[in-house]
Structures are given as structure tokens and as C-alpha cells.
Amino acid sequence: MSIAEKIAGLKELFALGTKLSDLKSGLRLVRHRATGKVGDHSYAGEMEKLRSVVDRLGFKSGTAVDIAAADGVNQSCTLWLYRDRGWDGLAVECGEVNFSLLAYAYEGFSDVRLARCKVTPPTVVALLQGNYIGQE
């Protein structure tokens, strides 16, 4: 599917009543995926701190879990682990629009499972077990 087709799909979401801010977020996502730029998309620079710790500890592979993943790009601390390092993992988002954008953004990450659900302390263990996180 071409970038133009993907943009057309995002515009269809807008036509179905999606908020303008969600469309703008989706268009930024398309641009990000098209350019493949590696940058810090985290909220307050957490990604660079995480990258520093991962590199210092010598982790070459692993499993990352992102609860409240939003669209998977904007404010993400885990995208680089999945995209640049090839880690497996789980990305969880409750919101309908953000989950749709997340699924679109992560369509090429075959080792990252997605879940659309609300996560609470009583449900987190079952969520992780149900997605084979921590089970070898």
C-alpha cells in the first residue's frame, strides 16, 4: 500500500467523525513512517535516558511492554526498541482512534503483539500471561 493510499485511509477516518487533532496525529505518523527518521518521540526525553541505560547494560535483544501506547509513535519510549533493535513485545491501548493508529504504525512489527483494552492492577498479570510476556 502506497503512502498516498494510507493517507486516503486516514482521511476516511476523519470523514467518519474523527477529531481533527487525531487526523493531524495520523498524518504526522505517516510522515514519520515514510522518512524512517530515528528521533526522540518521548514526552520529556525519556527515550534517550532509556537508550543510554539499555546500551550501558549491553542489552542486544529483549521484550518491551508499552501500556497506554497511544498511537505508538508520538510520546513513545518503546518504538525505537521495536523498530531499531528488533525487540519483541506488547503494545496496549484502550482508545479506539489511538489503537487504530497504533495498529497502522506497527503493521510491520511481526514480533509486537497489540491489545486494545483497559489495564488495571487486577488485570495486568492476565494481560501479560495471555500475550506470552515473560514466558519462554
Side-chain angles (χ1 to χ4, degrees):
M1 180 179 288
S2 72
I3 296 298
E5 291 169 320
K6 291 177 181 180
I7 290 173
L10 288 170
K11 287 181 179 178
E12 282 181 26
L13 283 175
F14 181 72
L16 294 172
T18 305
K19 296 177 191 172
L20 181 58
S21 63
D22 294 329
L23 178 62
K24 287 179 183 176
S25 174
L27 293 175
R28 280 193 308 271
L29 177 74
V30 169
R31 182 178 55 234
H32 169 79
R33 291 197 61 212
T35 61
K37 291 181 181 173
V38 177
D40 188 344
H41 300 281
S42 62
Y43 177 71
E46 306 93 332
M47 188 201 80
E48 284 305 321
K49 291 183 185 355
L50 180 60
R51 183 188 306 263
S52 172
V53 170
V54 167
D55 288 345
R56 192 168 5 117
L57 295 175
F59 293 131
K60 300 295 181 202
S61 63
T63 301
V65 176
D66 191 349
I67 296 176
D71 65 13
V73 175
N74 296 300
Q75 300 185 9
S76 175
C77 293
T78 55
L79 173 63
W80 71 278
L81 291 168
Y82 302 138
R83 183 189 59 203
D84 304 338
R85 302 281 176 102
W87 285 31
D88 65 359
L90 173 65
V92 184
E93 174 55 38
C94 182
E96 182 178 350
V97 172
N98 272 336
F99 184 80
S100 296
L101 293 169
L102 173 67
Y104 167 73
Y106 283 30
E107 69 184 349
F109 303 144
S110 60
D111 292 330
V112 180
R113 290 166 298 288
L114 305 179
R116 181 173 178 251
C117 61
K118 182 176 181 179
V119 180
T120 63
T123 64
V124 72
V125 171
L127 173 69
L128 296 175
Q129 289 174 339
N131 283 281
Y132 307 103
I133 301 298
Q135 301 172 15
E136 310 226 357

